[in-house]
């Protein structure tokens, strides 16, 4: 490869004539040798510099990407699913998939584990657990493990095998043991998701533009970059209920739908503009419902291919309007101005969906209806108010199913009050 004229270092092209006598002059020979040596050194330095530049363009180092985005607690306020994340008494609630255990993350960076079999909650606290943002129970775990995203990385709490023993043991660390999963720059974790069998934990963080697949049992990790040309970090990860597709929303703008396993990573960018404020899958894994920041409109995204996602080289993703929540009238005739959504919660049985708004003190409860034409609709049915005294607004919500007939919508209000709203499951007959 020949260097271009613009990249060649400036070299004096004037010919230097060295006159020698018959015996030769040693000083002149030394001058010629030094001149040629300096010329060769300059060219070699230039060549090495060009090789380094070419290598940086062709082989981008995954682990050394530096972001221009500032990773700190103030950045979490704008992208969090929690309304008023900084001041909210409860920042996140998570439910165990097979037991009655519920985890509440507080603004004091304490995790409260509520068990119906115990009168008081278990407190999980560590000096490393700061600026908590999200949590996820590990499925199929005998020790009721809980992953908590925070500024340091991921705090992985595991129930102590000896916690049920009555006598004291010197080396016990309370009811739970703590491991911290960390990677350089992967701080201020924004979202975490377990895979189907609980062997892999997926995380996104403000400090990096890549997603990490952690394998806690074998202490390994895999770094993935869905968009190598982008230096934006990710604010939201959402695994489809069938664990075939991972939705990745950027902190800045756009989102991707990705097929993910240990051997390959395939992604398709479906949304190019605006930041995604909230997104959630239907329980059938057919529709992804989402709303963009600053909008009152909820859209659905689905794949038109009947044979399955990513079976074809380029799946055809379609986006359709589901509802505009600027003004909402429930089936009982009540009408209110709702505005921009803050977060969604999906009923595990796929019958109901609840919505928190950015500037309203109530929650909207809707029926979720799949039509025969391959689309989804939301039918507003009720506005839910706080049943405690004083002015409060909801900060986070989640569904808890006790049986097939009754489920509970758990609501955390701004003061820390937890409300249990009972819902009797009735399949919607609207088509």
């Amino acid at each position: 490869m020949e260097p271009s004229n613009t990249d060649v270092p400036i070299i004096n092209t004037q010919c230097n004539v060295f006159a020698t006598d018959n015996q030769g002059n040693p000083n002149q020979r030394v001058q010629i040798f030094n001149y040629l040596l300096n010329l060769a050194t300059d060219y070699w330095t230039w060549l090495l510099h060009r090789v380094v530049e070419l290598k940086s363009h062709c082989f981008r180092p995954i682990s050394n990407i530096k972001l221009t985005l500032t990773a700190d607690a103030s950045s979490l306020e704008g992208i969090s699913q929690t309304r008023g994340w900084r001041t909210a008494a409860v920042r996140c609630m998570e439910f165990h998939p097979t037991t009655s255990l519920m985890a509440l993350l507080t603004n004091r960076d304490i995790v409260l584990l509520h068990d119906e079999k115990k009168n008081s909650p278990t407190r999980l606290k560590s000096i490393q657990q700061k600026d908590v943002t999200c949590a996820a129970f590990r499925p199929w775990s005998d020790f009721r493990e809980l992953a908590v995203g925070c500024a340091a990385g991921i705090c992985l709490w595991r129930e102590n095998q000896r916690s049920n023993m009555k006598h004291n043991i010197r080396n016990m660390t309370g009811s739970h043991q703590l491991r911290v999963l960390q990677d350089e720059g992967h701080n201020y974790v924004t979202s975490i998701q377990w895979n189907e069998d609980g062997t892999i934990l997926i995380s996104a963080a403000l400090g990096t533009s890549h997603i990490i697949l952690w394998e806690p049992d074998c202490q390994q990790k895999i770094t993935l970059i869905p968009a190598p040309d982008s230096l934006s970090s990710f604010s939201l990860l959402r695994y489809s209920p069938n664990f075939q597709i991972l939705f990745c929303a950027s902190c800045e703008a756009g989102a991707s739908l990705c097929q993910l396993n240990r051997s390959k990573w395939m992604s398709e960018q479906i949304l190019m503009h605006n930041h995604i404020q909230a997104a959630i899958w239907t329980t059938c894994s057919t529709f992804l419902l989402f709303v963009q920041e600053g909008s009152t409109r909820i859209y659905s995204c689905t794949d038109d291919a009947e044979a399955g996602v990513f079976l074809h080289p380029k799946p055809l993703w379609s986006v359709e309007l589901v509802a505009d929540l600027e003004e909402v009238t429930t089936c009982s005739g009540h009408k209110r101005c709702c505005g921009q959504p803050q977060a969604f919660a999906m009923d595990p049985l796929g019958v109901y969906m609840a919505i928190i708004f950015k500037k309203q003190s109530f929650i909207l409860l809707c029926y979720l209806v799949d039509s025969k034409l391959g689309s989804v609709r939301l039918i507003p049915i009720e506005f839910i108010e706080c049943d405690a005294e004083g002015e409060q607004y909801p900060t986070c919500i989640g569904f808890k199913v006790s049986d097939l007939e009754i489920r509970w919508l758990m609501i955390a209000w701004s003061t820390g009050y937890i409300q249990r709203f009972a819902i009797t499951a009735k399949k919607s007959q609207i088509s």
Side-chain angles (χ1 to χ4, degrees), residues 93 95 100 102 114-116 384-388 398 400-402 406-413 417-423:
M93 59 172 56
F95 303 93
S100 61
M102 176 180 68
H114 290 265
D115 194 335
E116 294 180 352
I384 303 174
E385 306 276 359
C386 183
D387 59 6
K400 181 180 180 181
V401 177
S402 56
I406 300 177
R407 75 265 284 124
W408 298 93
L409 176 61
M410 308 298 293
I411 308 169
W413 297 90
Y417 172 67
I418 305 298
Q419 180 178 346
R420 291 162 53 99
F421 185 85
I423 304 173

PDB file of all heavy atoms in Angstrom, residues 93 95 100 102 114-116 384-388 398 400-402 406-413 417-423:
ATOM      1  N   MET A  93     -40.605  -2.449  42.009  1.00  0.00           N
ATOM      2  CA  MET A  93     -41.159  -3.633  42.665  1.00  0.00           C
ATOM      3  C   MET A  93     -41.050  -4.805  41.701  1.00  0.00           C
ATOM      4  O   MET A  93     -41.233  -4.679  40.501  1.00  0.00           O
ATOM      5  CB  MET A  93     -42.607  -3.414  43.104  1.00  0.00           C
ATOM      6  CG  MET A  93     -43.579  -3.074  42.007  1.00  0.00           C
ATOM      7  SD  MET A  93     -45.308  -3.062  42.614  1.00  0.00           S
ATOM      8  CE  MET A  93     -45.204  -1.874  43.952  1.00  0.00           C
ATOM      9  N   PHE A  95     -41.681  -9.289  41.437  1.00  0.00           N
ATOM     10  CA  PHE A  95     -42.364 -10.430  42.021  1.00  0.00           C
ATOM     11  C   PHE A  95     -41.678 -11.723  41.609  1.00  0.00           C
ATOM     12  O   PHE A  95     -41.286 -11.895  40.445  1.00  0.00           O
ATOM     13  CB  PHE A  95     -43.831 -10.452  41.572  1.00  0.00           C
ATOM     14  CG  PHE A  95     -44.583  -9.200  41.915  1.00  0.00           C
ATOM     15  CD1 PHE A  95     -44.678  -8.157  41.001  1.00  0.00           C
ATOM     16  CD2 PHE A  95     -45.170  -9.042  43.160  1.00  0.00           C
ATOM     17  CE1 PHE A  95     -45.359  -6.992  41.314  1.00  0.00           C
ATOM     18  CE2 PHE A  95     -45.843  -7.887  43.488  1.00  0.00           C
ATOM     19  CZ  PHE A  95     -45.943  -6.861  42.563  1.00  0.00           C
ATOM     20  N   SER A 100     -44.747 -16.298  46.660  1.00  0.00           N
ATOM     21  CA  SER A 100     -45.417 -15.049  47.034  1.00  0.00           C
ATOM     22  C   SER A 100     -44.442 -13.927  47.364  1.00  0.00           C
ATOM     23  O   SER A 100     -44.847 -12.864  47.838  1.00  0.00           O
ATOM     24  CB  SER A 100     -46.325 -15.300  48.248  1.00  0.00           C
ATOM     25  OG  SER A 100     -45.560 -15.742  49.357  1.00  0.00           O
ATOM     26  N   MET A 102     -42.139 -10.727  47.213  1.00  0.00           N
ATOM     27  CA  MET A 102     -42.139  -9.458  46.509  1.00  0.00           C
ATOM     28  C   MET A 102     -40.956  -8.625  46.994  1.00  0.00           C
ATOM     29  O   MET A 102     -40.713  -8.515  48.192  1.00  0.00           O
ATOM     30  CB  MET A 102     -43.447  -8.691  46.753  1.00  0.00           C
ATOM     31  CG  MET A 102     -43.477  -7.304  46.113  1.00  0.00           C
ATOM     32  SD  MET A 102     -45.040  -6.410  46.401  1.00  0.00           S
ATOM     33  CE  MET A 102     -44.931  -6.113  48.182  1.00  0.00           C
ATOM     34  N   HIS A 114     -40.644  -8.977  50.911  1.00  0.00           N
ATOM     35  CA  HIS A 114     -41.889  -9.262  51.618  1.00  0.00           C
ATOM     36  C   HIS A 114     -42.339 -10.685  51.308  1.00  0.00           C
ATOM     37  O   HIS A 114     -42.491 -11.056  50.146  1.00  0.00           O
ATOM     38  CB  HIS A 114     -42.981  -8.270  51.205  1.00  0.00           C
ATOM     39  CG  HIS A 114     -42.739  -6.876  51.701  1.00  0.00           C
ATOM     40  ND1 HIS A 114     -43.289  -6.396  52.871  1.00  0.00           N
ATOM     41  CD2 HIS A 114     -41.995  -5.864  51.179  1.00  0.00           C
ATOM     42  CE1 HIS A 114     -42.914  -5.141  53.056  1.00  0.00           C
ATOM     43  NE2 HIS A 114     -42.128  -4.790  52.042  1.00  0.00           N
ATOM     44  N   ASP A 115     -42.561 -11.448  52.358  1.00  0.00           N
ATOM     45  CA  ASP A 115     -43.047 -12.819  52.234  1.00  0.00           C
ATOM     46  C   ASP A 115     -44.317 -12.943  53.064  1.00  0.00           C
ATOM     47  O   ASP A 115     -44.344 -12.534  54.232  1.00  0.00           O
ATOM     48  CB  ASP A 115     -41.986 -13.806  52.734  1.00  0.00           C
ATOM     49  CG  ASP A 115     -42.287 -15.242  52.330  1.00  0.00           C
ATOM     50  OD1 ASP A 115     -43.466 -15.555  52.102  1.00  0.00           O
ATOM     51  OD2 ASP A 115     -41.342 -16.034  52.236  1.00  0.00           O
ATOM     52  N   GLU A 116     -45.374 -13.479  52.457  1.00  0.00           N
ATOM     53  CA  GLU A 116     -46.641 -13.606  53.171  1.00  0.00           C
ATOM     54  C   GLU A 116     -46.533 -14.509  54.389  1.00  0.00           C
ATOM     55  O   GLU A 116     -47.370 -14.440  55.297  1.00  0.00           O
ATOM     56  CB  GLU A 116     -47.718 -14.140  52.215  1.00  0.00           C
ATOM     57  CG  GLU A 116     -48.065 -13.170  51.092  1.00  0.00           C
ATOM     58  CD  GLU A 116     -49.122 -13.724  50.161  1.00  0.00           C
ATOM     59  OE1 GLU A 116     -49.471 -14.927  50.309  1.00  0.00           O
ATOM     60  OE2 GLU A 116     -49.603 -12.977  49.282  1.00  0.00           O
ATOM     61  N   ILE A 384     -57.945   4.267  38.736  1.00  0.00           N
ATOM     62  CA  ILE A 384     -57.662   3.808  40.093  1.00  0.00           C
ATOM     63  C   ILE A 384     -57.016   4.938  40.880  1.00  0.00           C
ATOM     64  O   ILE A 384     -55.955   5.452  40.495  1.00  0.00           O
ATOM     65  CB  ILE A 384     -56.752   2.569  40.089  1.00  0.00           C
ATOM     66  CG1 ILE A 384     -57.391   1.449  39.268  1.00  0.00           C
ATOM     67  CG2 ILE A 384     -56.454   2.113  41.502  1.00  0.00           C
ATOM     68  CD1 ILE A 384     -56.496   0.245  39.104  1.00  0.00           C
ATOM     69  N   GLU A 385     -57.635   5.307  41.985  1.00  0.00           N
ATOM     70  CA  GLU A 385     -57.128   6.358  42.864  1.00  0.00           C
ATOM     71  C   GLU A 385     -56.460   5.732  44.086  1.00  0.00           C
ATOM     72  O   GLU A 385     -56.658   4.553  44.400  1.00  0.00           O
ATOM     73  CB  GLU A 385     -58.280   7.267  43.319  1.00  0.00           C
ATOM     74  CG  GLU A 385     -59.113   7.851  42.197  1.00  0.00           C
ATOM     75  CD  GLU A 385     -58.502   9.111  41.620  1.00  0.00           C
ATOM     76  OE1 GLU A 385     -57.428   9.522  42.121  1.00  0.00           O
ATOM     77  OE2 GLU A 385     -59.095   9.689  40.691  1.00  0.00           O
ATOM     78  N   CYS A 386     -55.679   6.533  44.782  1.00  0.00           N
ATOM     79  CA  CYS A 386     -55.067   6.079  46.026  1.00  0.00           C
ATOM     80  C   CYS A 386     -56.132   5.983  47.104  1.00  0.00           C
ATOM     81  O   CYS A 386     -56.960   6.886  47.260  1.00  0.00           O
ATOM     82  CB  CYS A 386     -53.958   7.039  46.460  1.00  0.00           C
ATOM     83  SG  CYS A 386     -53.072   6.529  47.953  1.00  0.00           S
ATOM     84  N   ASP A 387     -56.130   4.888  47.864  1.00  0.00           N
ATOM     85  CA  ASP A 387     -57.132   4.703  48.915  1.00  0.00           C
ATOM     86  C   ASP A 387     -56.644   5.199  50.276  1.00  0.00           C
ATOM     87  O   ASP A 387     -57.269   4.922  51.302  1.00  0.00           O
ATOM     88  CB  ASP A 387     -57.555   3.238  49.006  1.00  0.00           C
ATOM     89  CG  ASP A 387     -56.383   2.300  49.312  1.00  0.00           C
ATOM     90  OD1 ASP A 387     -55.264   2.800  49.560  1.00  0.00           O
ATOM     91  OD2 ASP A 387     -56.590   1.073  49.306  1.00  0.00           O
ATOM     92  N   ALA A 388     -55.529   5.934  50.299  1.00  0.00           N
ATOM     93  CA  ALA A 388     -55.019   6.532  51.537  1.00  0.00           C
ATOM     94  C   ALA A 388     -55.210   8.040  51.483  1.00  0.00           C
ATOM     95  O   ALA A 388     -55.382   8.630  50.415  1.00  0.00           O
ATOM     96  CB  ALA A 388     -53.546   6.184  51.738  1.00  0.00           C
ATOM     97  N   GLY A 398     -47.139  -3.137  39.526  1.00  0.00           N
ATOM     98  CA  GLY A 398     -46.874  -4.500  39.072  1.00  0.00           C
ATOM     99  C   GLY A 398     -48.041  -5.398  39.420  1.00  0.00           C
ATOM    100  O   GLY A 398     -48.782  -5.147  40.379  1.00  0.00           O
ATOM    101  N   LYS A 400     -49.606  -9.088  40.539  1.00  0.00           N
ATOM    102  CA  LYS A 400     -49.316 -10.288  41.319  1.00  0.00           C
ATOM    103  C   LYS A 400     -50.522 -11.214  41.221  1.00  0.00           C
ATOM    104  O   LYS A 400     -51.636 -10.831  41.599  1.00  0.00           O
ATOM    105  CB  LYS A 400     -49.021  -9.924  42.776  1.00  0.00           C
ATOM    106  CG  LYS A 400     -48.690 -11.102  43.669  1.00  0.00           C
ATOM    107  CD  LYS A 400     -48.413 -10.622  45.093  1.00  0.00           C
ATOM    108  CE  LYS A 400     -48.076 -11.787  45.998  1.00  0.00           C
ATOM    109  NZ  LYS A 400     -47.828 -11.334  47.394  1.00  0.00           N
ATOM    110  N   VAL A 401     -50.319 -12.416  40.712  1.00  0.00           N
ATOM    111  CA  VAL A 401     -51.417 -13.364  40.525  1.00  0.00           C
ATOM    112  C   VAL A 401     -51.442 -14.354  41.686  1.00  0.00           C
ATOM    113  O   VAL A 401     -50.440 -15.009  41.975  1.00  0.00           O
ATOM    114  CB  VAL A 401     -51.271 -14.119  39.188  1.00  0.00           C
ATOM    115  CG1 VAL A 401     -52.362 -15.163  39.030  1.00  0.00           C
ATOM    116  CG2 VAL A 401     -51.308 -13.149  38.030  1.00  0.00           C
ATOM    117  N   SER A 402     -52.603 -14.453  42.354  1.00  0.00           N
ATOM    118  CA  SER A 402     -52.750 -15.409  43.452  1.00  0.00           C
ATOM    119  C   SER A 402     -53.444 -16.681  42.993  1.00  0.00           C
ATOM    120  O   SER A 402     -53.164 -17.766  43.484  1.00  0.00           O
ATOM    121  CB  SER A 402     -53.526 -14.780  44.613  1.00  0.00           C
ATOM    122  OG  SER A 402     -54.792 -14.308  44.154  1.00  0.00           O
ATOM    123  N   ILE A 406     -58.419 -14.321  40.638  1.00  0.00           N
ATOM    124  CA  ILE A 406     -58.109 -13.030  41.240  1.00  0.00           C
ATOM    125  C   ILE A 406     -56.622 -12.738  41.090  1.00  0.00           C
ATOM    126  O   ILE A 406     -55.782 -13.603  41.300  1.00  0.00           O
ATOM    127  CB  ILE A 406     -58.492 -12.996  42.742  1.00  0.00           C
ATOM    128  CG1 ILE A 406     -59.988 -13.261  42.918  1.00  0.00           C
ATOM    129  CG2 ILE A 406     -58.106 -11.663  43.363  1.00  0.00           C
ATOM    130  CD1 ILE A 406     -60.423 -13.313  44.356  1.00  0.00           C
ATOM    131  N   ARG A 407     -56.326 -11.517  40.703  1.00  0.00           N
ATOM    132  CA  ARG A 407     -54.954 -11.040  40.749  1.00  0.00           C
ATOM    133  C   ARG A 407     -54.947  -9.672  41.437  1.00  0.00           C
ATOM    134  O   ARG A 407     -55.979  -9.009  41.537  1.00  0.00           O
ATOM    135  CB  ARG A 407     -54.319 -10.938  39.355  1.00  0.00           C
ATOM    136  CG  ARG A 407     -54.789  -9.762  38.535  1.00  0.00           C
ATOM    137  CD  ARG A 407     -55.909 -10.040  37.586  1.00  0.00           C
ATOM    138  NE  ARG A 407     -55.490 -10.740  36.423  1.00  0.00           N
ATOM    139  CZ  ARG A 407     -56.030 -11.901  36.063  1.00  0.00           C
ATOM    140  NH1 ARG A 407     -56.994 -12.431  36.805  1.00  0.00           N
ATOM    141  NH2 ARG A 407     -55.658 -12.513  34.972  1.00  0.00           N
ATOM    142  N   TRP A 408     -53.769  -9.284  41.912  1.00  0.00           N
ATOM    143  CA  TRP A 408     -53.628  -8.024  42.635  1.00  0.00           C
ATOM    144  C   TRP A 408     -52.765  -7.072  41.814  1.00  0.00           C
ATOM    145  O   TRP A 408     -51.690  -7.449  41.349  1.00  0.00           O
ATOM    146  CB  TRP A 408     -52.986  -8.248  43.993  1.00  0.00           C
ATOM    147  CG  TRP A 408     -53.773  -9.129  44.903  1.00  0.00           C
ATOM    148  CD1 TRP A 408     -53.648 -10.479  45.058  1.00  0.00           C
ATOM    149  CD2 TRP A 408     -54.825  -8.719  45.779  1.00  0.00           C
ATOM    150  NE1 TRP A 408     -54.545 -10.939  45.977  1.00  0.00           N
ATOM    151  CE2 TRP A 408     -55.293  -9.886  46.444  1.00  0.00           C
ATOM    152  CE3 TRP A 408     -55.420  -7.486  46.067  1.00  0.00           C
ATOM    153  CZ2 TRP A 408     -56.306  -9.848  47.370  1.00  0.00           C
ATOM    154  CZ3 TRP A 408     -56.440  -7.462  46.998  1.00  0.00           C
ATOM    155  CH2 TRP A 408     -56.876  -8.626  47.640  1.00  0.00           C
ATOM    156  N   LEU A 409     -53.237  -5.850  41.662  1.00  0.00           N
ATOM    157  CA  LEU A 409     -52.401  -4.791  41.105  1.00  0.00           C
ATOM    158  C   LEU A 409     -51.748  -4.078  42.280  1.00  0.00           C
ATOM    159  O   LEU A 409     -52.420  -3.423  43.074  1.00  0.00           O
ATOM    160  CB  LEU A 409     -53.232  -3.809  40.275  1.00  0.00           C
ATOM    161  CG  LEU A 409     -52.457  -2.606  39.722  1.00  0.00           C
ATOM    162  CD1 LEU A 409     -51.335  -3.052  38.801  1.00  0.00           C
ATOM    163  CD2 LEU A 409     -53.398  -1.633  39.000  1.00  0.00           C
ATOM    164  N   MET A 410     -50.447  -4.242  42.413  1.00  0.00           N
ATOM    165  CA  MET A 410     -49.709  -3.637  43.508  1.00  0.00           C
ATOM    166  C   MET A 410     -49.234  -2.258  43.057  1.00  0.00           C
ATOM    167  O   MET A 410     -48.605  -2.120  41.993  1.00  0.00           O
ATOM    168  CB  MET A 410     -48.517  -4.500  43.910  1.00  0.00           C
ATOM    169  CG  MET A 410     -48.874  -5.957  44.185  1.00  0.00           C
ATOM    170  SD  MET A 410     -50.043  -6.151  45.571  1.00  0.00           S
ATOM    171  CE  MET A 410     -49.007  -5.622  46.935  1.00  0.00           C
ATOM    172  N   ILE A 411     -49.513  -1.240  43.865  1.00  0.00           N
ATOM    173  CA  ILE A 411     -49.217   0.148  43.513  1.00  0.00           C
ATOM    174  C   ILE A 411     -48.357   0.776  44.602  1.00  0.00           C
ATOM    175  O   ILE A 411     -48.741   0.764  45.784  1.00  0.00           O
ATOM    176  CB  ILE A 411     -50.505   0.972  43.333  1.00  0.00           C
ATOM    177  CG1 ILE A 411     -51.461   0.270  42.364  1.00  0.00           C
ATOM    178  CG2 ILE A 411     -50.183   2.383  42.857  1.00  0.00           C
ATOM    179  CD1 ILE A 411     -52.851   0.875  42.351  1.00  0.00           C
ATOM    180  N   ALA A 412     -47.211   1.309  44.228  1.00  0.00           N
ATOM    181  CA  ALA A 412     -46.374   2.065  45.160  1.00  0.00           C
ATOM    182  C   ALA A 412     -46.632   3.543  44.937  1.00  0.00           C
ATOM    183  O   ALA A 412     -46.467   4.052  43.825  1.00  0.00           O
ATOM    184  CB  ALA A 412     -44.901   1.733  44.950  1.00  0.00           C
ATOM    185  N   TRP A 413     -47.046   4.244  45.982  1.00  0.00           N
ATOM    186  CA  TRP A 413     -47.337   5.672  45.892  1.00  0.00           C
ATOM    187  C   TRP A 413     -46.137   6.483  46.377  1.00  0.00           C
ATOM    188  O   TRP A 413     -45.215   5.940  47.014  1.00  0.00           O
ATOM    189  CB  TRP A 413     -48.600   6.013  46.679  1.00  0.00           C
ATOM    190  CG  TRP A 413     -49.814   5.314  46.123  1.00  0.00           C
ATOM    191  CD1 TRP A 413     -50.295   4.078  46.486  1.00  0.00           C
ATOM    192  CD2 TRP A 413     -50.685   5.788  45.085  1.00  0.00           C
ATOM    193  NE1 TRP A 413     -51.406   3.750  45.741  1.00  0.00           N
ATOM    194  CE2 TRP A 413     -51.677   4.778  44.880  1.00  0.00           C
ATOM    195  CE3 TRP A 413     -50.742   6.947  44.317  1.00  0.00           C
ATOM    196  CZ2 TRP A 413     -52.694   4.912  43.933  1.00  0.00           C
ATOM    197  CZ3 TRP A 413     -51.746   7.090  43.369  1.00  0.00           C
ATOM    198  CH2 TRP A 413     -52.701   6.084  43.187  1.00  0.00           C
ATOM    199  N   TYR A 417     -46.463   4.341  50.489  1.00  0.00           N
ATOM    200  CA  TYR A 417     -47.633   3.515  50.770  1.00  0.00           C
ATOM    201  C   TYR A 417     -47.839   2.508  49.642  1.00  0.00           C
ATOM    202  O   TYR A 417     -47.793   2.857  48.461  1.00  0.00           O
ATOM    203  CB  TYR A 417     -48.870   4.397  50.922  1.00  0.00           C
ATOM    204  CG  TYR A 417     -50.174   3.634  51.024  1.00  0.00           C
ATOM    205  CD1 TYR A 417     -50.461   2.839  52.124  1.00  0.00           C
ATOM    206  CD2 TYR A 417     -51.124   3.721  50.003  1.00  0.00           C
ATOM    207  CE1 TYR A 417     -51.656   2.146  52.210  1.00  0.00           C
ATOM    208  CE2 TYR A 417     -52.326   3.039  50.083  1.00  0.00           C
ATOM    209  CZ  TYR A 417     -52.578   2.247  51.187  1.00  0.00           C
ATOM    210  OH  TYR A 417     -53.769   1.557  51.270  1.00  0.00           O
ATOM    211  N   ILE A 418     -48.077   1.244  49.992  1.00  0.00           N
ATOM    212  CA  ILE A 418     -48.302   0.174  49.026  1.00  0.00           C
ATOM    213  C   ILE A 418     -49.782  -0.202  49.048  1.00  0.00           C
ATOM    214  O   ILE A 418     -50.321  -0.595  50.085  1.00  0.00           O
ATOM    215  CB  ILE A 418     -47.446  -1.071  49.332  1.00  0.00           C
ATOM    216  CG1 ILE A 418     -45.962  -0.690  49.416  1.00  0.00           C
ATOM    217  CG2 ILE A 418     -47.669  -2.137  48.265  1.00  0.00           C
ATOM    218  CD1 ILE A 418     -45.388  -0.134  48.135  1.00  0.00           C
ATOM    219  N   GLN A 419     -50.430  -0.070  47.917  1.00  0.00           N
ATOM    220  CA  GLN A 419     -51.856  -0.371  47.789  1.00  0.00           C
ATOM    221  C   GLN A 419     -52.050  -1.676  47.025  1.00  0.00           C
ATOM    222  O   GLN A 419     -51.398  -1.921  46.006  1.00  0.00           O
ATOM    223  CB  GLN A 419     -52.568   0.771  47.053  1.00  0.00           C
ATOM    224  CG  GLN A 419     -54.065   0.550  46.859  1.00  0.00           C
ATOM    225  CD  GLN A 419     -54.718   1.735  46.180  1.00  0.00           C
ATOM    226  OE1 GLN A 419     -54.141   2.814  46.075  1.00  0.00           O
ATOM    227  NE2 GLN A 419     -55.949   1.536  45.708  1.00  0.00           N
ATOM    228  N   ARG A 420     -52.963  -2.509  47.534  1.00  0.00           N
ATOM    229  CA  ARG A 420     -53.334  -3.756  46.862  1.00  0.00           C
ATOM    230  C   ARG A 420     -54.728  -3.587  46.263  1.00  0.00           C
ATOM    231  O   ARG A 420     -55.708  -3.467  46.997  1.00  0.00           O
ATOM    232  CB  ARG A 420     -53.325  -4.923  47.853  1.00  0.00           C
ATOM    233  CG  ARG A 420     -51.942  -5.303  48.347  1.00  0.00           C
ATOM    234  CD  ARG A 420     -52.005  -6.137  49.623  1.00  0.00           C
ATOM    235  NE  ARG A 420     -52.870  -7.294  49.482  1.00  0.00           N
ATOM    236  CZ  ARG A 420     -52.451  -8.539  49.233  1.00  0.00           C
ATOM    237  NH1 ARG A 420     -51.148  -8.761  49.077  1.00  0.00           N
ATOM    238  NH2 ARG A 420     -53.279  -9.541  49.145  1.00  0.00           N
ATOM    239  N   PHE A 421     -54.769  -3.579  44.946  1.00  0.00           N
ATOM    240  CA  PHE A 421     -56.044  -3.389  44.251  1.00  0.00           C
ATOM    241  C   PHE A 421     -56.458  -4.727  43.647  1.00  0.00           C
ATOM    242  O   PHE A 421     -55.788  -5.271  42.765  1.00  0.00           O
ATOM    243  CB  PHE A 421     -55.905  -2.326  43.170  1.00  0.00           C
ATOM    244  CG  PHE A 421     -57.195  -1.979  42.478  1.00  0.00           C
ATOM    245  CD1 PHE A 421     -58.058  -1.033  43.031  1.00  0.00           C
ATOM    246  CD2 PHE A 421     -57.547  -2.588  41.283  1.00  0.00           C
ATOM    247  CE1 PHE A 421     -59.240  -0.708  42.389  1.00  0.00           C
ATOM    248  CE2 PHE A 421     -58.729  -2.272  40.641  1.00  0.00           C
ATOM    249  CZ  PHE A 421     -59.582  -1.328  41.198  1.00  0.00           C
ATOM    250  N   ALA A 422     -57.572  -5.282  44.137  1.00  0.00           N
ATOM    251  CA  ALA A 422     -58.028  -6.605  43.695  1.00  0.00           C
ATOM    252  C   ALA A 422     -58.765  -6.498  42.368  1.00  0.00           C
ATOM    253  O   ALA A 422     -59.602  -5.618  42.169  1.00  0.00           O
ATOM    254  CB  ALA A 422     -58.936  -7.231  44.748  1.00  0.00           C
ATOM    255  N   ILE A 423     -58.453  -7.415  41.449  1.00  0.00           N
ATOM    256  CA  ILE A 423     -59.106  -7.473  40.143  1.00  0.00           C
ATOM    257  C   ILE A 423     -59.604  -8.892  39.920  1.00  0.00           C
ATOM    258  O   ILE A 423     -58.836  -9.854  40.049  1.00  0.00           O
ATOM    259  CB  ILE A 423     -58.150  -7.079  39.010  1.00  0.00           C
ATOM    260  CG1 ILE A 423     -57.554  -5.685  39.268  1.00  0.00           C
ATOM    261  CG2 ILE A 423     -58.852  -7.112  37.659  1.00  0.00           C
ATOM    262  CD1 ILE A 423     -56.484  -5.313  38.272  1.00  0.00           C
TER     263      ILE A 423
END
